[in-house]
Amino acid sequence: MAICLRNCFFIFPTFFIFSIAQANEWDWVPRESLTTSQKASLNKYCSGAYIDNWRVPDGEQTQLLADVIYRDASGNVHMKGQAELIQPESTLEADTIDGTPNQFYQANGDVTLRAKNQIIRSDSSQLSEEGSLQDSEFNNARFLSHNQGIRGEAKSLVKSQSGVIFIKEGFYTSCEPNSSSWELYGSSITLDPNTGFGTAKHVQIRIDGNPIFYFPWLRFPIDSRRQTGFLFPSFGYSSDEGFSVSAPFYWNLAPNYDATITPHFVENEGEGVDVEFRHLSPYGTTTIEQSTFIDEHVGEKTLRKFNTEQTFNQYLSAGLLIEDNPTKDGVPLKNTTSLGEKDNYEHSAFVNFNAGNFSAKVTQKEYQTPDKDEDRPLEWLPRIDASYQYANTWFNYKPVFQYTDFLEPDEEDVDGERTVLNQTIELEASNAWGTLSPGILHQYRDYNLYSYTDEEESTSTLDHLSYYLDGEVVFERSFKLSDQIWRQTLTPKFTYLYAPYLDQSDIPDFDASETTLTYSTAFNHTRFSGNDRIGDTNQVAFGLESKFYDGNGSERWAFKAGQVFYQEDRRVDISGNTGDVVDDDPRSSLLTSITYKNGSLFSLTNNLNYDLDEELIDLAQISMTLTPDSGVVLKSSFSYEEEEDETTGKPVGTTKQSNISAIVPLNQNWHLFHQQTYDLLEHKETKKVTGLGFENCCVKMALSYQSWLNDSSELDQGIYLQFILRSLSNVGRENSDLSSVAKDYWNNGNTGY
């Protein structure tokens, strides 16, 4: 041990550092003084961060610094006046320090103990040397953990040799200095950095100094490590259900698997339990879930789900999904699993092989339909997909094969086997200013069918060739705008598509659907999606596109307009006999699209179809997002689509809906958010959300009123409260049935939680 008076030369740098640190009790550094990397990890609502100023001293020996230092006859050391005890792993400062070297020290008056990522301050303390059987104790203590962002106060604080902190009559919080947005207060609190968890007795969770929750005993995390124990419970009350509580228990079984068990109690309804088991293998993940609720009025309700996906190597993967609802008349009243109420519950398995330009997949898919009055979906027993692609700079060949054995579980219509082969052969001639691409699409179908209506078997084969030619020319110019050199492109394009008519009256509709005609789909090479309809057409689609790029090369504007001109009437539709004319329009509506982007500040997308013959708009899709630096978020959308009535042939509206939402900051921390969706055909509101949110560095809260149409077209309403206490837990619940601006608000600015 080396003893020296304060005028020793080597103490000046250390003394200077600690003088600066004492001027800032908690090593708090304002945001503007942080480095770029430190700012990047900071929540945008935080005004600074704790930066540890302690450095490991030079040398392995203990250093004693003070105005007066002497040793008595018993060998005890006495230090008075700005006393410092500097050790390899910690530094103790106080007005006076007395003790026995290598055993313990008693410090009094403005006591500060510093170690890596830790400060403890107190009126008096007893510090035991490392290796001693005694713990260190601090009276009227204040403490800080830099890396966890946790600080607190205690009437008495004991720090064991293993690093565990025992707090008597105190609190801890992750809030910034001079802020008490939340505090966890307890008559006794234990913080164990070795396990990453703490426990407390007679606990109060205080928001802005006001107690809002009380627990006789509580176990909580102090870092991100997984640990067995109860998570924060959720509470609720309603006039129908009465008092309700859910208390999730997390079970950390092993590093690669765990479980969460959540019991539920509802005063006027019953009780239940949810179980989720997760397993991580070297190849993938497996999840098992079950939710059961015993309702006093309608009995037991259960949902189950098993899901696994495994990737064995770069070529081979497999998966299995089993959803199950053994109780047909509903689902559990309380359910925290990922499986909700559905008409059909999927049972499927797949094996996938992928070798780059060749891939193959085998899928087996069935369904459980609890309600016998519901039509059950077709099942795949199995489906086999395979595709290959060969391409170079001028030639592209892609065959796609599919075999499906369909089963009609209701035995009311048609099922059977379908074999599909689609082959695309395309040539491409291109240079810097344009491309020309002729192509052939070969579509082959083979069916072996069984009709439950006629109780007859039948076969059918289709062999069809479609021909197309794609072309475009690109013009480009530069111009000066706002002292920047902008670039504009002008691209005329066309697609000629000829698909001869082929009778398909005997072919069922297993998976065919008609695509909505917009500018982007006008240049497709097929009229239908799926494999059960080959659309006949003889058409030319013309388009004109113009894009504007700013001086940084970012696309700002894109204007697109086009139209499809039909040379023949169309006779193939999704259902019914083919052969009759189903569409005799000589041309499509005028198809337009406009997009604008200005980084993250503003975006606009507008798709508009205008029928020049009927002089009306038959499709409008408009969406806009505005996010200025002020923190305001404005979103609006409008969708409208017309469809001809099959009886009268007159256009009728099928979709006409508007939506507007906004998040408006009232000040640095408070936000108002609102969303409203309105059905313009039914003349009624389908969704409404109004809420108030608060966020600072350690607390985020949101209170919202929400109303929405349920599956029975009735209006449901609810009030939802959520809040997050950083470094502690999430509390409250959200409306999982309603995607809304409330979720947008909740997910903004969430860094560090």
Side-chain angles (χ1 to χ4, degrees), residues 382-618:
R383 167 169 287 184
I384 303 173
D385 293 279
S387 66
Y388 173 81
Q389 184 167 14
Y390 172 80
N392 57 33
T393 56
W394 61 273
F395 178 76
N396 181 33
Y397 172 60
K398 184 175 182 180
V400 177
F401 169 84
Q402 185 183 88
Y403 167 81
T404 310
D405 184 0
F406 290 103
L407 173 65
E408 218 288 57
D410 293 324
E411 299 185 352
E412 294 178 350
D413 201 353
V414 178
D415 62 14
E417 301 171 82
R418 183 188 71 189
T419 302
V420 173
L421 177 62
N422 295 325
Q423 300 182 86
T424 302
I425 301 175
E426 184 177 275
L427 304 176
E428 180 176 311
S430 64
N431 55 28
W433 51 266
T435 61
L436 190 66
S437 302
I440 298 175
L441 174 59
H442 175 225
Q443 294 169 286
Y444 174 82
R445 309 285 186 268
D446 182 78
Y447 292 86
N448 292 308
L449 304 173
Y450 179 79
S451 173
Y452 291 96
T453 303
D454 303 329
E455 297 184 352
E456 293 182 355
E457 295 183 355
S458 63
T459 61
S460 184
T461 301
L462 300 179
D463 201 357
H464 187 273
L465 288 176
S466 299
Y467 311 91
Y468 63 87
L469 178 65
D470 297 333
E472 66 176 37
V473 179
V474 180
F475 301 95
E476 183 175 317
R477 74 182 182 101
S478 298
F479 62 97
K480 189 174 183 180
L481 180 65
S482 300
D483 297 327
Q484 285 188 335
I485 303 300
W486 283 52
R487 181 167 57 92
Q488 179 192 5
T489 61
L490 185 66
T491 308
K493 63 185 297 184
F494 74 92
T495 292
Y496 172 70
L497 173 62
Y498 176 58
Y501 167 75
L502 186 65
D503 182 37
Q504 299 160 57
S505 301
D506 297 332
I507 304 303
D509 174 20
F510 290 136
D511 58 14
S513 61
E514 190 167 5
T515 58
T516 300
L517 184 61
T518 63
Y519 178 86
S520 60
T521 61
F523 302 93
N524 288 353
H525 299 143
T526 57
R527 283 180 52 208
F528 303 106
S529 61
N531 286 311
D532 290 314
R533 284 293 181 269
I534 299 175
D536 63 315
T537 190
N538 185 2
Q539 67 182 53
V540 182
F542 292 103
L544 183 64
E545 303 179 6
S546 184
K547 298 181 180 180
F548 292 82
Y549 300 85
D550 63 19
N552 297 319
S554 301
E555 181 185 315
R556 288 292 190 92
W557 286 97
F559 299 92
K560 302 176 183 179
Q563 195 167 16
V564 181
F565 296 89
Y566 303 101
Q567 312 305 307
E568 298 177 8
D569 297 337
R570 277 72 66 207
R571 295 191 286 166
V572 178
D573 205 354
I574 292 293
S575 59
N577 294 331
T578 62
D580 297 332
V581 175
V582 296
D583 191 346
D584 59 0
D585 289 337
R587 59 181 179 177
S588 72
S589 299
L590 181 63
L591 313 172
T592 66
S593 173
I594 299 175
T595 59
Y596 173 76
K597 302 174 185 176
N598 187 1
S600 60
L601 173 64
F602 180 75
S603 65
L604 172 69
T605 302
N606 177 21
N607 293 316
L608 187 70
N609 295 356
Y610 184 76
D611 192 322
L612 298 171
D613 298 319
E614 298 291 337
E615 297 183 350
L616 56 81
I617 296 173
D618 56 23

Side-chain angles (χ1 to χ4, degrees), residues 44-45 626-634 663-665 671 748:
K44 70 177 184 180
Y45 292 97
L626 177 65
T627 55
D629 293 337
S630 62
V632 173
V633 178
L634 295 176
I663 303 175
V664 180
H671 292 75
N748 284 337

Side-chain angles (χ1 to χ4, degrees), residues 737-750:
D737 299 323
L738 184 62
S739 177
S740 69
V741 70
K743 290 185 179 180
D744 291 340
Y745 167 74
W746 196 250
N747 292 325
N748 284 337
N750 219 20

